[in-house]
Amino acid sequence: AGAYIAIHFRAGDRPAFGVDIVDWADNRAPVEAVLASLSCAQQVERDLGLGSDTKWILAADDVAVFHLPQVLAWRQSGKVVTLYDEEDLLGVRPRPVHLAAVSGASPRSGGEFGYYPTIGPPLRGVGNFTDSVRGVADTWVEYLAISRAYVAVLSSSGFGITAAQVGGVPHAFNGADCLRMDLSEA
């Protein structure tokens, strides 16, 4: 496997945790905003002289991203690769699960263990524990894929940014405006 571009799109807490899972949910971007990240990947691929056969791995916290006509076309062409196939996207496989939303794994507000700060209302888990663990395992696979990329096109998200930092990704860009990100000091 050669160099690839990892694209991480973060729509916000409501898609990541599920509707009404948390009261303080944010909506960072509409799913259509992923198109700017795909355009950035195309520009970066050209600017870095990567071949047109370079694969793009797309990770997102909202499966609606994978149903956009442009994303479907890129997937059908083989350019965009996701962890999920068509059956998965129809709900056969557990959806991606935010790491903080694993059912039964997150402390309550105020901390059941006495040392977690109170940052908001308690998280209510996503689905049952088995589905949550399966979904979060897939999320870790996406994290590792981002960390091993040659190029990362990232959203405003600690998940993608830390993955790129941990892996020492040599080229990182903000997906919204395609500006180069310096992750060396972050």
Side-chain angles (χ1 to χ4, degrees), residues 110-123:
E112 291 179 11
F113 305 108
Y115 54 84
Y116 287 100
T118 300
I119 58 171
L123 294 175

Side-chain angles (χ1 to χ4, degrees), residues 91-155:
V92 174
R93 182 177 181 160
R95 66 182 182 80
V97 174
H98 192 284
L99 298 177
V102 177
S103 178
S106 55
R108 300 279 180 222
S109 178
E112 291 179 11
F113 305 108
Y115 54 84
Y116 287 100
T118 300
I119 58 171
L123 294 175
R124 295 181 296 281
V126 175
N128 64 50
F129 186 72
T130 301
D131 285 349
S132 294
V133 170
R134 285 184 185 138
V136 83
D138 290 345
T139 301
W140 277 115
V141 169
E142 291 173 336
Y143 187 91
L144 290 172
I146 295 166
S147 75
R148 295 181 176 167
Y150 183 65
V151 176
V153 177
L154 306 168
S155 291

